Each structure stands twice: as C-alpha cells, then as structure tokens.
Coordinates of all heavy atoms in Angstrom, one line a residue:
M40 N -1.7 -4.7 -16.2 CA -1.8 -5.0 -14.8 C -0.6 -5.8 -14.3 O -0.1 -5.6 -13.2 CB -3.1 -5.7 -14.5 CG -3.8 -5.4 -13.2 SD -3.3 -3.8 -12.4 CE -4.7 -2.8 -12.8
K41 N -0.1 -6.7 -15.2 CA 1.0 -7.6 -14.8 C 2.2 -6.7 -14.5 O 2.9 -6.9 -13.5 CB 1.3 -8.5 -16.0 CG 1.0 -9.9 -15.7 CD 1.5 -10.9 -16.8 CE 0.6 -10.8 -18.0 NZ 1.1 -11.5 -19.1
F42 N 2.4 -5.7 -15.3 CA 3.5 -4.7 -15.1 C 3.4 -4.1 -13.7 O 4.4 -4.0 -13.0 CB 3.5 -3.6 -16.1 CG 4.2 -3.9 -17.5 CD1 3.5 -3.8 -18.6 CD2 5.5 -4.4 -17.4 CE1 4.1 -4.1 -19.8 CE2 6.1 -4.7 -18.6 CZ 5.4 -4.6 -19.8
L43 N 2.2 -3.7 -13.4 CA 2.0 -3.0 -12.1 C 2.4 -3.9 -11.0 O 3.1 -3.5 -10.1 CB 0.5 -2.5 -12.0 CG 0.2 -1.7 -10.9 CD1 1.1 -0.4 -10.8 CD2 -1.3 -1.2 -11.0
I44 N 2.0 -5.2 -11.1 CA 2.3 -6.1 -10.0 C 3.8 -6.3 -10.0 O 4.4 -6.3 -8.8 CB 1.6 -7.5 -10.3 CG1 0.1 -7.2 -10.1 CG2 2.0 -8.5 -9.3 CD1 -0.8 -8.4 -10.7
V45 N 4.5 -6.5 -11.0 CA 6.0 -6.7 -11.1 C 6.6 -5.4 -10.4 O 7.5 -5.5 -9.6 CB 6.5 -6.8 -12.5 CG1 8.0 -6.7 -12.6 CG2 6.0 -8.2 -13.0
F46 N 6.1 -4.2 -10.8 CA 6.8 -3.0 -10.3 C 6.5 -2.8 -8.8 O 7.3 -2.3 -8.1 CB 6.5 -1.8 -11.2 CG 7.4 -1.9 -12.4 CD1 7.0 -2.5 -13.5 CD2 8.7 -1.5 -12.3 CE1 7.8 -2.6 -14.6 CE2 9.6 -1.6 -13.3 CZ 9.1 -2.3 -14.5
V47 N 5.3 -3.1 -8.4 CA 5.0 -3.0 -7.0 C 6.0 -4.0 -6.2 O 6.5 -3.6 -5.2 CB 3.5 -3.2 -6.6 CG1 3.3 -3.4 -5.2 CG2 2.7 -2.1 -7.2
A48 N 6.2 -5.2 -6.8 CA 7.0 -6.1 -6.1 C 8.5 -5.6 -6.1 O 9.2 -5.7 -5.1 CB 7.0 -7.5 -6.8
L49 N 9.0 -5.0 -7.2 CA 10.4 -4.5 -7.2 C 10.5 -3.4 -6.2 O 11.5 -3.2 -5.5 CB 10.6 -3.9 -8.6 CG 11.0 -4.9 -9.7 CD1 11.2 -4.1 -11.0 CD2 12.4 -5.6 -9.3
F50 N 9.4 -2.6 -6.2 CA 9.4 -1.4 -5.2 C 9.5 -2.0 -3.8 O 10.4 -1.5 -3.0 CB 8.2 -0.6 -5.4 CG 8.1 0.7 -4.7 CD1 8.8 1.8 -5.2 CD2 7.2 0.8 -3.6 CE1 8.7 3.0 -4.6 CE2 7.2 2.0 -3.0 CZ 7.9 3.1 -3.5
A51 N 8.8 -3.0 -3.5 CA 8.8 -3.6 -2.1 C 10.2 -4.1 -1.8 O 10.6 -4.0 -0.7 CB 7.7 -4.6 -2.0
M52 N 10.8 -4.8 -2.8 CA 12.1 -5.4 -2.6 C 13.1 -4.3 -2.4 O 14.0 -4.5 -1.5 CB 12.5 -6.2 -3.8 CG 12.1 -7.6 -3.8 SD 12.3 -8.5 -5.3 CE 13.6 -7.7 -6.1
A53 N 13.0 -3.2 -3.1 CA 14.0 -2.1 -2.9 C 13.8 -1.5 -1.5 O 14.8 -1.1 -1.0 CB 13.7 -1.1 -4.0
V54 N 12.6 -1.5 -1.0 CA 12.4 -0.8 0.3 C 12.8 -1.8 1.4 O 13.3 -1.4 2.4 CB 10.9 -0.4 0.4 CG1 10.6 0.1 1.8 CG2 10.6 0.6 -0.6
A55 N 12.5 -3.1 1.2 CA 12.8 -4.1 2.3 C 14.3 -4.4 2.3 O 14.8 -5.2 1.6 CB 12.1 -5.4 2.0
R56 N 15.1 -3.7 3.1 CA 16.5 -3.9 3.1 C 16.8 -4.5 4.5 O 16.1 -4.3 5.5 CB 17.2 -2.5 3.0 CG 16.6 -1.8 1.8 CD 17.4 -0.5 1.4 NE 18.6 -0.9 0.6 CZ 19.7 -0.2 0.6 NH1 19.9 0.8 1.3 NH2 20.7 -0.6 -0.2
P57 N 17.9 -5.2 4.6 CA 18.2 -5.9 5.9 C 18.5 -4.9 7.0 O 18.1 -5.2 8.1 CB 19.5 -6.7 5.6 CG 20.0 -6.1 4.3 CD 18.9 -5.5 3.6
N58 N 19.1 -3.8 6.8 CA 19.3 -2.8 7.9 C 18.1 -1.8 7.9 O 17.4 -1.7 6.9 CB 20.6 -2.1 7.8 CG 20.9 -1.6 6.4 OD1 20.1 -1.8 5.5 ND2 22.0 -0.9 6.3
E59 N 18.0 -1.1 8.9 CA 16.9 -0.1 9.1 C 17.0 1.0 8.0 O 18.1 1.7 8.0 CB 17.1 0.5 10.5 CG 15.9 1.2 11.0 CD 14.8 0.3 11.5 OE1 15.0 -0.9 11.6 OE2 13.7 0.9 11.6
A60 N 16.1 1.1 7.2 CA 16.1 2.1 6.2 C 15.2 3.3 6.5 O 14.0 3.1 6.6 CB 15.7 1.5 4.8
E61 N 15.7 4.4 6.8 CA 14.9 5.5 7.2 C 14.4 6.3 6.0 O 15.2 6.8 5.1 CB 15.7 6.5 8.1 CG 14.8 7.5 8.7 CD 15.7 8.5 9.5 OE1 16.8 8.3 9.8 OE2 15.1 9.6 9.7
I62 N 13.1 6.3 5.8 CA 12.6 7.0 4.7 C 12.6 8.5 4.9 O 12.1 9.0 6.0 CB 11.2 6.6 4.4 CG1 11.2 5.1 4.0 CG2 10.4 7.4 3.4 CD1 9.9 4.4 3.9
V63 N 13.2 9.3 4.1 CA 13.2 10.8 4.2 C 12.1 11.5 3.4 O 11.7 12.6 3.7 CB 14.6 11.4 4.0 CG1 15.6 10.9 5.0 CG2 15.1 11.0 2.6
R64 N 11.7 10.8 2.3 CA 10.6 11.4 1.5 C 9.9 10.2 0.9 O 10.4 9.3 0.3 CB 11.1 12.3 0.5 CG 10.1 13.1 -0.2 CD 10.8 14.2 -1.0 NE 11.5 13.7 -2.1 CZ 11.0 13.7 -3.3 NH1 9.9 14.2 -3.7 NH2 11.7 13.1 -4.3
Q65 N 8.5 10.3 0.9 CA 7.7 9.3 0.2 C 6.5 10.0 -0.3 O 5.7 10.5 0.5 CB 7.4 8.1 1.2 CG 6.7 7.0 0.4 CD 6.6 5.8 1.3 OE1 6.6 5.8 2.5 NE2 6.5 4.6 0.6
D66 N 6.2 10.0 -1.6 CA 5.0 10.5 -2.2 C 4.5 9.5 -3.1 O 5.2 8.9 -4.0 CB 5.3 11.7 -3.1 CG 6.0 12.8 -2.4 OD1 5.6 13.1 -1.3 OD2 7.0 13.3 -2.9
V67 N 3.2 9.1 -2.9 CA 2.6 8.2 -3.9 C 1.2 8.8 -4.3 O 0.5 9.3 -3.4 CB 2.3 6.8 -3.1 CG1 1.5 5.9 -4.0 CG2 3.6 6.2 -2.6
D68 N 1.0 8.7 -5.6 CA -0.2 9.4 -6.1 C -0.8 8.3 -7.2 O -0.1 8.0 -8.1 CB 0.1 10.7 -6.8 CG -1.1 11.5 -7.2 OD1 -2.2 11.0 -7.0 OD2 -0.9 12.5 -7.7
V69 N -1.9 7.8 -6.8 CA -2.5 6.8 -7.7 C -3.8 7.2 -8.2 O -4.7 7.5 -7.4 CB -2.6 5.4 -7.0 CG1 -3.2 4.3 -7.9 CG2 -1.2 5.0 -6.5
A70 N -4.0 7.3 -9.5 CA -5.3 7.6 -10.1 C -5.6 6.3 -10.9 O -4.8 5.5 -11.1 CB -5.1 8.8 -11.0
P71 N -6.9 6.3 -11.4 CA -7.3 5.0 -12.1 C -6.4 4.7 -13.4 O -6.1 3.6 -13.7 CB -8.8 5.3 -12.6 CG -9.2 6.3 -11.6 CD -8.0 7.2 -11.2
E72 N -5.9 5.7 -14.1 CA -5.2 5.5 -15.3 C -3.8 5.9 -15.2 O -3.1 5.9 -16.3 CB -6.0 6.1 -16.5 CG -7.3 5.4 -16.7 CD -8.1 6.0 -17.9 OE1 -7.7 6.9 -18.5 OE2 -9.2 5.5 -18.0
N73 N -3.3 6.4 -14.2 CA -1.9 6.9 -14.0 C -1.5 6.8 -12.5 O -2.4 6.8 -11.7 CB -1.6 8.2 -14.7 CG -2.5 9.3 -14.2 OD1 -3.4 9.1 -13.3 ND2 -2.2 10.6 -14.6
W74 N -0.3 6.8 -12.3 CA 0.2 6.8 -11.0 C 1.6 7.3 -10.9 O 2.3 7.3 -12.0 CB 0.2 5.4 -10.4 CG 1.0 4.4 -11.0 CD1 2.4 4.0 -10.6 CD2 0.8 3.6 -12.2 NE1 2.9 3.1 -11.6 CE2 1.9 2.9 -12.5 CE3 -0.4 3.6 -13.1 CZ2 2.0 2.0 -13.6 CZ3 -0.3 2.7 -14.1 CH2 0.8 1.9 -14.4
S75 N 2.1 7.8 -9.8 CA 3.5 8.1 -9.6 C 3.9 7.8 -8.2 O 3.1 7.9 -7.3 CB 3.7 9.6 -9.9 OG 3.1 10.4 -9.1
S76 N 5.2 7.6 -8.0 CA 5.7 7.5 -6.7 C 7.1 7.9 -6.6 O 7.9 7.8 -7.6 CB 5.6 6.0 -6.2 OG 6.4 5.2 -6.9
N77 N 7.5 8.4 -5.5 CA 8.9 8.9 -5.2 C 9.2 8.4 -3.8 O 8.4 8.6 -2.9 CB 8.8 10.4 -5.1 CG 8.7 11.1 -6.4 OD1 9.7 11.1 -7.2 ND2 7.5 11.5 -6.7
L78 N 10.4 7.9 -3.7 CA 10.9 7.4 -2.4 C 12.3 7.8 -2.2 O 13.2 7.6 -3.2 CB 10.7 5.9 -2.3 CG 11.2 5.2 -1.1 CD1 10.4 5.5 0.1 CD2 11.3 3.7 -1.2
E79 N 12.7 8.3 -1.2 CA 14.0 8.7 -0.9 C 14.4 8.2 0.5 O 13.7 8.3 1.4 CB 14.2 10.2 -0.9 CG 15.6 10.6 -0.9 CD 15.8 12.1 -1.1 OE1 14.9 12.8 -1.7 OE2 16.8 12.7 -0.7
I80 N 15.5 7.4 0.6 CA 16.0 6.8 1.8 C 17.2 7.6 2.3 O 18.0 8.0 1.5 CB 16.2 5.3 1.5 CG1 14.9 4.6 1.2 CG2 16.8 4.6 2.8 CD1 15.0 3.2 0.6
R81 N 17.4 7.5 3.6 CA 18.5 8.3 4.3 C 19.8 7.9 3.7 O 20.7 8.8 3.6 CB 18.5 8.0 5.8 CG 19.6 8.4 6.6 CD 19.7 9.9 7.0 NE 18.4 10.2 7.7 CZ 17.9 11.5 7.5 NH1 18.4 12.4 6.8 NH2 16.8 11.8 8.2
D82 N 20.1 6.7 3.2 CA 21.3 6.3 2.6 C 21.6 6.9 1.2 O 22.6 6.6 0.6 CB 21.5 4.8 2.6 CG 20.6 4.1 1.6 OD1 19.8 4.8 0.9 OD2 20.6 2.9 1.6
G83 N 20.6 7.7 0.7 CA 20.9 8.3 -0.6 C 20.1 7.6 -1.8 O 20.1 8.0 -2.9
T84 N 19.4 6.5 -1.4 CA 18.7 5.7 -2.4 C 17.4 6.5 -2.9 O 16.8 7.0 -2.0 CB 18.2 4.3 -1.9 OG1 19.4 3.6 -1.5 CG2 17.5 3.5 -2.9
I85 N 17.3 6.6 -4.2 CA 16.1 7.4 -4.7 C 15.4 6.5 -5.7 O 16.1 6.0 -6.6 CB 16.5 8.7 -5.3 CG1 17.2 9.6 -4.3 CG2 15.3 9.4 -5.9 CD1 17.8 10.9 -4.8
I86 N 14.1 6.3 -5.5 CA 13.3 5.4 -6.5 C 12.2 6.3 -6.9 O 11.3 6.7 -6.1 CB 12.9 4.1 -5.8 CG1 14.1 3.4 -5.2 CG2 12.0 3.3 -6.7 CD1 13.7 2.3 -4.2
V87 N 12.1 6.4 -8.2 CA 11.1 7.3 -8.8 C 10.3 6.4 -9.9 O 11.0 5.7 -10.6 CB 11.7 8.5 -9.5 CG1 10.6 9.4 -10.2 CG2 12.4 9.4 -8.5
Q88 N 9.1 6.6 -10.0 CA 8.3 5.8 -11.0 C 7.1 6.7 -11.4 O 6.3 7.3 -10.6 CB 7.8 4.5 -10.4 CG 7.1 3.7 -11.4 CD 6.6 2.4 -10.8 OE1 5.4 2.2 -10.6 NE2 7.5 1.5 -10.6
E89 N 6.8 6.7 -12.7 CA 5.6 7.3 -13.2 C 5.0 6.3 -14.2 O 5.7 5.8 -15.1 CB 5.9 8.6 -14.0 CG 6.2 9.7 -13.1 CD 6.5 11.0 -13.9 OE1 6.1 11.0 -15.1 OE2 7.0 11.9 -13.3
G90 N 3.7 6.1 -14.1 CA 3.1 5.1 -15.0 C 1.8 5.6 -15.5 O 1.1 6.5 -14.9
V91 N 1.5 5.2 -16.7 CA 0.2 5.6 -17.3 C -0.4 4.3 -18.1 O 0.4 3.5 -18.6 CB 0.3 6.8 -18.2 CG1 1.3 6.5 -19.4 CG2 -1.0 7.3 -18.7
L92 N -1.7 4.2 -18.0 CA -2.3 3.1 -18.9 C -2.6 3.7 -20.2 O -3.2 4.8 -20.3 CB -3.6 2.6 -18.2 CG -3.5 1.7 -17.1 CD1 -4.9 1.3 -16.6 CD2 -2.7 0.4 -17.4
K93 N -2.3 3.0 -21.3 CA -2.7 3.5 -22.6 C -3.6 2.5 -23.3 O -3.7 1.3 -22.9 CB -1.5 3.9 -23.5 CG -0.7 2.7 -23.8 CD 0.4 3.1 -24.8 CE 1.1 2.0 -25.4 NZ 2.2 2.4 -26.3
N94 N -4.4 3.0 -24.3 CA -5.3 2.2 -24.9 C -6.4 1.6 -24.0 O -6.7 0.3 -24.1 CB -4.7 1.1 -25.8 CG -3.7 1.7 -26.8 OD1 -4.0 2.7 -27.4 ND2 -2.6 1.0 -27.0
V95 N -6.8 2.3 -23.0 CA -7.7 1.8 -22.0 C -8.9 1.2 -22.5 O -9.5 1.9 -23.5 CB -7.9 3.0 -21.0 CG1 -9.0 2.4 -19.9 CG2 -6.7 3.4 -20.3
G96 N -9.3 0.1 -22.1 CA -10.6 -0.5 -22.5 C -10.5 -1.3 -23.8 O -11.5 -1.8 -24.3
T97 N -9.3 -1.3 -24.5 CA -9.1 -2.0 -25.7 C -8.3 -3.3 -25.5 O -7.7 -3.4 -24.4 CB -8.4 -1.2 -26.8 OG1 -7.0 -1.1 -26.5 CG2 -9.0 0.2 -26.9
E98 N -8.2 -4.1 -26.4 CA -7.4 -5.3 -26.2 C -5.9 -5.0 -26.2 O -5.1 -5.8 -25.9 CB -7.7 -6.4 -27.3 CG -7.3 -6.0 -28.6 CD -7.7 -7.1 -29.7 OE1 -7.0 -8.1 -29.7 OE2 -8.6 -7.0 -30.4
H99 N -5.5 -3.7 -26.6 CA -4.1 -3.3 -26.5 C -3.8 -2.4 -25.3 O -2.8 -1.8 -25.3 CB -3.8 -2.5 -27.8 CG -4.0 -3.3 -29.1 ND1 -3.2 -4.4 -29.4 CD2 -4.9 -3.2 -30.0 CE1 -3.6 -4.9 -30.5 NE2 -4.6 -4.2 -30.9
E100 N -4.6 -2.6 -24.3 CA -4.4 -1.8 -23.1 C -3.0 -2.2 -22.6 O -2.7 -3.4 -22.5 CB -5.5 -2.1 -22.1 CG -5.3 -1.4 -20.8 CD -6.6 -1.5 -19.9 OE1 -7.7 -1.1 -20.3 OE2 -6.4 -2.0 -18.7
A101 N -2.2 -1.3 -22.2 CA -0.9 -1.5 -21.7 C -0.5 -0.4 -20.7 O -0.9 0.7 -20.8 CB 0.1 -1.6 -22.8
A102 N 0.4 -0.8 -19.8 CA 1.0 0.1 -18.8 C 2.3 0.6 -19.4 O 3.1 -0.2 -20.0 CB 1.3 -0.5 -17.5
V103 N 2.5 1.9 -19.4 CA 3.9 2.5 -19.8 C 4.4 3.1 -18.5 O 3.8 3.9 -17.9 CB 3.7 3.5 -20.9 CG1 5.0 4.1 -21.3 CG2 3.0 2.9 -22.1
V104 N 5.6 2.6 -18.1 CA 6.2 3.0 -16.9 C 7.6 3.6 -17.2 O 8.3 3.0 -17.9 CB 6.4 1.9 -15.9 CG1 7.0 2.4 -14.6 CG2 5.0 1.2 -15.6
H105 N 7.8 4.8 -16.6 CA 9.1 5.5 -16.7 C 9.6 5.5 -15.3 O 8.9 5.9 -14.4 CB 9.1 6.9 -17.2 CG 8.7 6.9 -18.7 ND1 7.4 7.0 -19.1 CD2 9.5 7.0 -19.8 CE1 7.5 7.0 -20.5 NE2 8.7 7.1 -20.9
G106 N 10.9 5.3 -15.0 CA 11.3 5.4 -13.7 C 12.9 5.4 -13.6 O 13.5 5.2 -14.6
S107 N 13.3 5.4 -12.4 CA 14.7 5.3 -12.1 C 15.0 4.8 -10.7 O 14.1 5.0 -9.8 CB 15.4 6.6 -12.3 OG 15.0 7.6 -11.3
F108 N 16.1 4.1 -10.6 CA 16.6 3.8 -9.2 C 18.0 4.5 -9.1 O 18.7 4.4 -10.1 CB 16.9 2.4 -8.9 CG 16.0 1.4 -9.5 CD1 16.5 0.5 -10.5 CD2 14.7 1.3 -9.2 CE1 15.6 -0.5 -11.0 CE2 13.8 0.3 -9.7 CZ 14.3 -0.5 -10.6
S109 N 18.3 5.0 -8.0 CA 19.6 5.6 -7.9 C 20.1 5.3 -6.5 O 19.3 5.4 -5.5 CB 19.5 7.2 -8.1 OG 20.6 7.8 -7.9
W110 N 21.4 4.9 -6.4 CA 21.9 4.6 -5.0 C 23.4 5.0 -5.0 O 24.0 5.2 -6.0 CB 21.7 3.1 -4.7 CG 22.5 2.2 -5.6 CD1 23.7 1.7 -5.2 CD2 22.2 1.7 -6.9 NE1 24.2 0.8 -6.3 CE2 23.3 0.9 -7.3 CE3 21.1 1.9 -7.7 CZ2 23.3 0.3 -8.5 CZ3 21.2 1.3 -9.0 CH2 22.2 0.5 -9.4
V111 N 23.9 5.1 -3.7 CA 25.2 5.5 -3.6 C 26.0 4.2 -3.0 O 25.6 3.6 -2.1 CB 25.3 6.6 -2.5 CG1 26.7 7.0 -2.2 CG2 24.5 7.9 -3.0
D112 N 27.1 4.0 -3.6 CA 28.0 2.9 -3.1 C 28.5 3.3 -1.8 O 29.2 4.3 -1.6 CB 29.1 2.7 -4.2 CG 30.0 1.5 -3.8 OD1 30.7 1.5 -2.7 OD2 30.0 0.5 -4.5
E113 N 28.3 2.4 -0.8 CA 28.7 2.7 0.6 C 30.2 2.9 0.7 O 30.7 3.7 1.5 CB 28.4 1.6 1.6 CG 26.9 1.5 1.9 CD 26.6 0.3 2.8 OE1 27.5 -0.3 3.3 OE2 25.4 0.0 2.8
K114 N 31.0 2.2 -0.1 CA 32.5 2.2 0.1 C 33.1 3.5 -0.7 O 34.0 4.1 -0.2 CB 33.1 1.0 -0.4 CG 32.7 -0.2 0.5 CD 33.7 -1.4 0.3 CE 33.3 -2.5 1.3 NZ 32.3 -3.4 0.7
T115 N 32.6 3.6 -2.0 CA 33.3 4.7 -2.8 C 32.5 6.0 -2.8 O 33.0 7.0 -3.2 CB 33.4 4.2 -4.2 OG1 32.0 4.1 -4.7 CG2 34.1 2.8 -4.4
G116 N 31.3 5.9 -2.4 CA 30.5 7.2 -2.4 C 30.0 7.5 -3.8 O 29.3 8.5 -4.0
E117 N 30.2 6.6 -4.8 CA 29.8 6.9 -6.1 C 28.3 6.6 -6.3 O 27.8 5.6 -5.7 CB 30.6 5.9 -7.1 CG 30.4 6.1 -8.6 CD 31.1 5.2 -9.4 OE1 31.9 4.3 -8.9 OE2 31.0 5.2 -10.7
R118 N 27.6 7.4 -7.0 CA 26.2 7.3 -7.2 C 26.0 6.6 -8.5 O 26.6 6.8 -9.6 CB 25.5 8.6 -7.3 CG 24.0 8.5 -7.5 CD 23.2 9.9 -7.4 NE 23.1 10.2 -5.9 CZ 22.2 9.6 -5.2 NH1 21.3 8.7 -5.6 NH2 22.1 10.0 -3.9
F119 N 25.1 5.5 -8.5 CA 24.7 4.8 -9.7 C 23.3 5.1 -9.9 O 22.4 5.1 -9.0 CB 24.9 3.3 -9.5 CG 26.4 2.9 -9.3 CD1 27.0 2.8 -8.1 CD2 27.1 2.5 -10.4 CE1 28.3 2.5 -7.9 CE2 28.4 2.1 -10.3 CZ 29.0 2.1 -9.0
T120 N 22.9 5.3 -11.2 CA 21.5 5.5 -11.6 C 21.2 4.7 -12.7 O 21.9 4.5 -13.7 CB 21.4 7.0 -11.9 OG1 21.8 7.8 -10.9 CG2 20.0 7.3 -12.3
T121 N 20.0 4.0 -12.6 CA 19.4 3.3 -13.7 C 18.1 3.9 -14.0 O 17.3 4.1 -13.2 CB 19.1 1.8 -13.3 OG1 20.3 1.2 -12.9 CG2 18.5 1.0 -14.4
N122 N 18.0 4.3 -15.2 CA 16.7 4.8 -15.8 C 16.1 3.7 -16.6 O 16.8 2.9 -17.2 CB 16.9 6.1 -16.7 CG 17.5 7.2 -15.9 OD1 16.8 7.7 -15.0 ND2 18.7 7.6 -16.3
Y123 N 14.8 3.6 -16.5 CA 14.2 2.5 -17.3 C 12.8 3.0 -17.9 O 12.2 3.9 -17.4 CB 14.0 1.2 -16.5 CG 13.0 1.4 -15.4 CD1 11.6 1.2 -15.6 CD2 13.4 1.8 -14.1 CE1 10.7 1.3 -14.6 CE2 12.4 1.9 -13.1 CZ 11.1 1.7 -13.4 OH 10.2 1.9 -12.4
V124 N 12.5 2.3 -19.0 CA 11.1 2.4 -19.5 C 10.6 1.0 -19.6 O 11.4 0.1 -19.9 CB 11.1 3.0 -20.9 CG1 9.7 3.0 -21.6 CG2 11.7 4.4 -21.0
A125 N 9.4 0.7 -19.1 CA 8.8 -0.6 -19.2 C 7.5 -0.4 -19.9 O 6.6 0.4 -19.4 CB 8.7 -1.2 -17.9
D126 N 7.3 -1.0 -21.0 CA 6.1 -0.9 -21.8 C 5.9 -2.1 -22.5 O 6.5 -3.2 -22.3 CB 6.2 0.4 -22.7 CG 7.3 0.3 -23.7 OD1 7.9 -0.8 -23.9 OD2 7.6 1.4 -24.3
E127 N 5.0 -2.1 -23.6 CA 4.7 -3.3 -24.3 C 5.9 -3.9 -25.1 O 5.9 -5.0 -25.5 CB 3.6 -3.1 -25.3 CG 3.8 -2.2 -26.5 CD 3.7 -0.6 -26.1 OE1 3.9 -0.2 -25.0 OE2 3.3 0.1 -27.1
N128 N 7.0 -3.1 -25.1 CA 8.3 -3.6 -25.7 C 9.2 -4.2 -24.6 O 10.4 -4.6 -24.9 CB 9.0 -2.6 -26.4 CG 8.1 -2.0 -27.6 OD1 7.6 -2.8 -28.3 ND2 8.1 -0.7 -27.7
G129 N 8.7 -4.3 -23.3 CA 9.6 -4.9 -22.3 C 10.2 -3.9 -21.4 O 9.9 -2.7 -21.4
Y130 N 11.1 -4.4 -20.6 CA 11.8 -3.6 -19.6 C 13.1 -3.1 -20.2 O 13.8 -4.0 -20.7 CB 12.1 -4.5 -18.3 CG 12.9 -3.8 -17.3 CD1 12.4 -2.7 -16.6 CD2 14.2 -4.2 -17.0 CE1 13.1 -2.0 -15.5 CE2 14.9 -3.6 -16.0 CZ 14.4 -2.5 -15.3 OH 15.1 -1.9 -14.3
Q131 N 13.3 -1.8 -20.3 CA 14.4 -1.3 -21.1 C 15.3 -0.4 -20.1 O 15.0 0.8 -20.0 CB 14.0 -0.5 -22.3 CG 13.1 -1.3 -23.2 CD 12.0 -0.5 -23.9 OE1 12.3 0.5 -24.7 NE2 10.8 -0.7 -23.6
P132 N 16.2 -1.0 -19.4 CA 17.0 -0.2 -18.5 C 18.2 0.5 -19.1 O 18.7 0.0 -20.2 CB 17.6 -1.2 -17.4 CG 17.6 -2.5 -18.3 CD 16.5 -2.4 -19.3
Q133 N 18.6 1.6 -18.6 CA 19.8 2.3 -19.1 C 20.6 2.9 -18.0 O 20.0 3.5 -17.1 CB 19.3 3.5 -20.0 CG 19.0 3.2 -21.4 CD 18.8 4.5 -22.2 OE1 18.5 5.5 -21.7 NE2 19.1 4.3 -23.5
G134 N 21.9 2.7 -18.0 CA 22.7 3.3 -16.9 C 24.2 3.2 -17.4 O 24.6 2.3 -18.1
A135 N 24.9 4.2 -16.9 CA 26.3 4.2 -17.3 C 27.0 3.0 -16.9 O 28.1 2.6 -17.5 CB 27.0 5.5 -16.7
H136 N 26.6 2.3 -15.8 CA 27.2 1.2 -15.2 C 26.8 -0.1 -15.9 O 27.2 -1.2 -15.5 CB 27.0 1.1 -13.7 CG 25.6 1.1 -13.4 ND1 24.7 2.1 -13.5 CD2 24.8 0.1 -12.8 CE1 23.5 1.8 -13.2 NE2 23.5 0.5 -12.7
L137 N 25.7 0.0 -16.8 CA 25.1 -1.3 -17.3 C 25.8 -1.5 -18.7 O 26.1 -0.6 -19.5 CB 23.6 -1.1 -17.5 CG 22.8 -0.9 -16.3 CD1 21.3 -0.7 -16.6 CD2 23.0 -2.1 -15.4
P138 N 26.0 -2.8 -19.0 CA 26.6 -3.2 -20.3 C 25.5 -2.8 -21.4 O 24.4 -2.8 -21.1 CB 26.8 -4.7 -20.2 CG 25.9 -5.1 -19.1 CD 25.7 -4.0 -18.1
V139 N 26.0 -2.5 -22.5 CA 25.2 -2.2 -23.7 C 25.4 -3.4 -24.7 O 26.5 -3.8 -25.0 CB 25.6 -0.9 -24.4 CG1 24.7 -0.6 -25.6 CG2 25.4 0.2 -23.4
A140 N 24.3 -3.9 -25.2 CA 24.4 -5.1 -26.1 C 25.1 -4.6 -27.4 O 24.9 -3.5 -27.8 CB 23.0 -5.6 -26.4
P141 N 25.9 -5.5 -27.9 CA 26.6 -5.1 -29.1 C 25.6 -5.0 -30.2 O 24.6 -5.7 -30.3 CB 27.5 -6.3 -29.4 CG 27.1 -7.4 -28.5 CD 26.3 -6.8 -27.4
V142 N 25.9 -4.1 -31.2 CA 25.0 -3.9 -32.4 C 25.1 -5.2 -33.3 O 26.2 -5.5 -33.6 CB 25.3 -2.6 -33.1 CG1 24.4 -2.5 -34.3 CG2 25.2 -1.4 -32.2
A143 N 24.0 -5.8 -33.6 CA 24.1 -7.0 -34.3 C 24.5 -6.8 -35.8 O 24.2 -5.7 -36.3 CB 22.7 -7.8 -34.3
Ligands
NAG46 C1 -2.8 11.8 -13.9 O1 -3.2 12.5 -15.1 C2 -4.0 13.7 -14.7 C3 -4.5 14.3 -16.0 O2 -3.4 14.4 -16.9 C4 -3.1 14.6 -13.9 O3 -3.8 15.8 -13.6 C5 -2.6 13.9 -12.7 O4 -1.7 14.7 -12.0 C6 -1.9 12.6 -13.0 N1 -1.7 11.8 -11.8 C7 -0.6 11.1 -11.6 C8 -0.6 10.4 -10.3 O5 0.3 11.1 -12.4

C-alpha cells in the first residue's frame, strides 16, 4: 500500500505542472488486486503504470509496479524515457539518459 501512495503522489506531481497541461488521453482502471493508468499530455508527456498485488493476504503481500515516464525536451525536441520497476526490491529506474552505477 505504501508503494501505491508514493506512486499516486508521483503521478499527481507529474500532472500538476505550472502551465496549463492539456490532457489528450487518460485511462485509469483499478481493480482490487491490480490497476493500470495511462496519461498523455499535449506537450508529449506520456505516463504509463501497471501494478499488481502479489502474495495477497500473506505477510509478504507486495505491490509490483511497472511503468514509464516519457517527455520531450522543449528546446531540443529530444524525447526522454524512463522505464521503471518498483517492487519489494525497491524503485529500479532505467533510461538512456540515466547514469548506471559502476559494477562493484
Ligand atoms: C486485472 O486482472 C484481471 C485478471 O487477470 C484482468 O482481466 C484485468 O484486465 C486486470 N485489470 C487491470 C486494471 O489491469
């Protein structure tokens, strides 16, 4: 549940932009043990998330979330995409623009 709250907060932050953000597509589907959402904004921002609860009803109950944020740099027109998995191993983002930790 903590993950869900964090992701709802991230989602809200992504949507709350200082200038008027026109939503061109928004789909939200929430079931008791899984959910998905898609949001596309006129400026090219795309936010996608799919989540599922696993080990429901056990002490190992956990949310597993797959998603991505993608946005276009206003100046260069370059698109940046971050894909992530968030699960019991933490938040694991991946993107061509993100640094990769050196192998220990
Ligand atoms: C949740 O899972 C059910 C069963 O697999 C599926 O039919 C449904 O589309 C899923 N819903 C979401 C929001 O992912």
